[in-house]
Amino acid sequence: MRGSTLVAGIGNVFLGDDGFGVETVRKLREPGRPLPAHVEVADIGVRGVHLAYQLLDGYDTLVLVDATARGGAPGTLYLIEAPEPGSVSPQSAVLDGHHMSPDAVLALLATLCEGAGGTPPRRIWVVGCEPGRVDEGMGLSAPVAAAVPEAVRMVHDLVRQPDAEPLDEEHNATAT
């Protein structure tokens, strides 16, 4: 799988804007704007342990798409180059398979790579969106739903230029 890219949508569709990553990868799979052949898109949802094991297949680049609270206005998009696996300390219990944040997945991946002799992705990007609400209920808030098309564009740009220099990008996709 070396040389390939995995785009993973993360989140819980039953917690409002936490479903941003899942909705974005659903849009990425729609016909009309095909991704390069080296790109695989996966709806991971809340299956963080599954993602960690899938990464043992040896992807070169990982793009995580997730709700990312950083204090911006709801719908603000962030493009973050994540630290390499092993440099992240999980904020939650690593063994809780339904509550694994991306940092916990990366920490688990580092442990799995050590034990299995695998190689973690060379580049890890996060396309994050500032959530407006993460309470119980399905469906994205209006500002987060409006950010999905721009997030799709960001992912397309990333997978076409996986060796781009790290960007400190912030996009506000909310209606003004």
Side-chain angles (χ1 to χ4, degrees), residues 11 23 26 29 38-39 41 77 104 106 109 146 148 153 163:
E23 177 62 17
R26 187 182 73 75
R29 289 179 168 164
H38 71 278
V39 178
V41 177
L77 292 174
L106 295 177
L109 175 61
V148 170
R153 186 201 61 78
D163 292 321

Side-chain angles (χ1 to χ4, degrees), residues 91-110:
Q91 296 174 354
S92 59
V94 172
L95 296 178
D96 186 350
H98 291 287
H99 294 96
M100 288 187 67
S101 59
D103 56 344
V105 170
L106 295 177
L108 176 59
L109 175 61

Side-chain angles (χ1 to χ4, degrees), residues 20-169:
F20 166 78
V22 173
E23 177 62 17
T24 301
V25 298
R26 187 182 73 75
K27 291 287 189 186
L28 280 165
R29 289 179 168 164
E30 288 181 350
R33 288 188 65 190
L35 292 163
H38 71 278
V39 178
E40 180 181 342
V41 177
D43 172 356
I44 298 299
V46 295
R47 299 180 327 255
V49 172
H50 174 80
L51 173 59
Y53 278 101
Q54 185 170 349
L55 289 169
L56 287 175
D57 287 343
Y59 295 91
D60 185 63
T61 303
L62 169 64
V63 179
L64 296 171
V65 185
D66 196 11
T68 307
R70 296 179 61 135
T76 300
L77 292 174
Y78 307 103
L79 177 58
I80 305 156
E81 184 166 20
E84 61 188 62
S87 65
V88 178
S89 298
Q91 296 174 354
S92 59
V94 172
L95 296 178
D96 186 350
H98 291 287
H99 294 96
M100 288 187 67
S101 59
D103 56 344
V105 170
L106 295 177
L108 176 59
L109 175 61
T111 301
L112 292 173
C113 284
E114 274 184 33
T119 304
R122 183 179 59 85
R123 302 287 301 261
I124 302 170
W125 297 96
V126 177
V127 174
C129 182
E130 188 73 41
R133 62 175 193 81
V134 289
D135 54 346
E136 286 188 25
M138 292 184 70
L140 302 177
S141 66
V144 172
V148 170
E150 178 65 12
V152 168
R153 186 201 61 78
M154 289 173 74
V155 170
H156 272 271
D157 290 349
L158 272 176
V159 300
R160 284 185 167 75
Q161 301 173 356
D163 292 321
E165 287 301 309
L167 301 174
D168 186 15
E169 268 191 57

